[in-house]
Amino acid sequence: MARVRLDRAQLTRTIRGASRSELETTARQVMNRAKVLAPVDTGRLRASIRIEARRTLTLRSVFTIGSDVEYAQMVHDGTRPHIIRPKRAQALRFRIGGRIVYAKVVHHPGTKARPFLDRAMREIAGGKGYDIRAGR
């Protein structure tokens, strides 16, 4: 699952004295920006981007922004070249240029990463003067 986490304890060096409401506002802004930046084919990925808010045992506020669709991480992080084989049929069926094509195996070239969550985090946090470093 592709996710970006806003954890108040982990960001204390960056976001000194941030209140829960300020962190919640930032999380909502990151979610909204991620929805704008998410690539759209059917709109399912964009519609699935959500915030999960919870408190830890130490009463820290943690906001997780992400999507639960099965391909979200592949879109966000990209994929390497791989082989696709049919699971329940003898051949794969797909459309190329209006023609129906059947194949027993497809050598997929991979996909380029489209890190919409990371980009949203950098844009929103950078706009507020926060210094965000990678570290999922």
Side-chain angles (χ1 to χ4, degrees), residues 32-134:
N32 290 336
R33 185 65 182 145
K35 285 184 176 193
V36 169
L37 295 173
V40 177
D41 186 16
T42 64
R44 183 174 170 219
L45 175 61
R46 177 177 284 177
S48 71
I49 299 171
R50 303 257 188 274
I51 296 175
E52 291 176 17
R54 63 182 174 83
R55 285 189 180 263
T56 64
L57 292 174
T58 59
L59 300 178
R60 291 188 337 218
S61 298
V62 177
F63 295 91
T64 302
I65 303 154
S67 169
D68 59 357
V69 296
E70 62 278 358
Y71 56 86
Q73 186 170 4
M74 291 182 274
V75 171
H76 190 267
D77 298 335
T79 62
R80 299 178 118 189
H82 56 281
I83 295 174
I84 302 173
R85 299 181 193 281
K87 289 184 179 179
R88 292 179 289 269
Q90 291 186 4
L92 298 165
R93 179 183 185 268
F94 50 95
R95 185 180 305 264
I96 296 181
R99 284 188 12 226
I100 302 294
V101 177
Y102 296 92
K104 290 199 178 262
V105 66
V106 173
H107 295 273
H108 193 284
T111 56
K112 185 178 176 184
R114 299 185 70 185
F116 57 95
L117 289 169
D118 289 346
R119 185 171 164 206
M121 177 72 122
R122 283 192 312 272
E123 286 181 14
I124 298 301
K128 294 184 174 207
Y130 301 153
D131 179 26
I132 300 300
R133 293 182 177 93

